[in-house]
Amino acid sequence: MKILAGSANPRLAERLAHEMGCSIAEVESKEFPDGEIYVRLVEDVRGEDVVIVQSTHPATKFVEFLLLEDAAREGGAASVTAVIPYYAYARQDQAFKSGEIVSAKALAEFIELKVDRVITVDPHKEHILGFFSIEAHGVSAIPEIARHLEDSVKPDLILAPDKGALARAEECAGILGIPVDYLEKTRISGTEVVMKTKDLPVEGKRVVILDDMIATGGTIATATKELRRQGAASISAACTHGLFTNNAITRLKDAGCDHVIAVDTLECEAAVVSAAPAVARALRPLVERAV
Ligand code: R5P
């Protein structure tokens, strides 16, 4: 097995290679001044089981992913597995208004053209995997997040920012053996959310708000202010995918967040948890099956 590491996740690719005991095939990739992407496979992958590691955010990384797929096929790989740590465009997972394009489905149709199977980490919604007609696996990085929280902030309570995020919060709280609750969020715009006031048992408690992704930080900042008002001792924001647009980390800290924790599905300063063990858990049975 050889890993083709795109430029979106070089650190995760290295950690995954270490977990799997395999090597990283050398790829030259660069961005031209006009933003177009160049990819060259330096190493021979003929007859190899190739694993491409590349998140599809922002859009140029998606283009790079498509070029890597092509490189693996043109290079004569025996099989191609796509590890897409952060599967972008997933929030448009259904048509909310007539004429809307379900981007999560549209991208899947491109991705599967040249790969045999897909593995992604904490997809926004589970049904996204059904948009692929090839084998698609979602792996949970919640056990890794839970272990990190246990060793660092030692939470008393896990809070989901809305009901849609409750299953992940429950998984995490279940591992840690601590209570779980959720807030009621209404989204006003891309950057603004309101939370319904709810009395929570947070006074003097170390609370972790857990979401699948943090983009502008609007959701967690609003929740943090409410928890501060209700007397939480410490507040941490944890997520799998740390997009952190428009200085979101500063926004969270300003709102009263003590710690911001993310997984390395996207490279960012808060990515202190690695998804490599979670991806390896899904990859190993596939490799064994191929032997
Ligand atoms: C929404 O469905 C997602 O799970 C996140 O709650 C949302 O994308 C977070 O966005 P932001 O950080 O901009 O509030």
Side-chain angles (χ1 to χ4, degrees), residues 1-7 9-10 13-14 16-18 21-29 39-54 64 68 71-73 75-77 79-80:
M1 173 189 286
K2 279 192 180 170
I3 289 181
L4 284 196
S7 65
N9 303 89
E14 263 174 45
L16 184 61
H18 180 73
C22 68
S23 62
I24 295 190
E26 199 185 334
V27 178
E28 186 189 344
S29 63
V39 164
R40 182 172 80 97
L41 198 53
V42 179
E43 207 168 309
D44 188 16
V45 296
R46 189 157 300 278
E48 292 281 352
D49 291 312
V50 165
V51 177
I52 299 172
V53 179
Q54 174 83 338
E64 187 184 339
L68 286 167
R73 284 296 177 214
S79 72
V80 184

Side-chain angles (χ1 to χ4, degrees), residues 91 124 162 185 187 190 193 211-219:
R91 280 169 288 182
H124 179 57
D162 55 44
K185 170 179 106 175
R187 182 166 286 287
V193 294
D211 209 349
D212 63 331
M213 66 182 82
I214 299 177
T216 64
T219 300

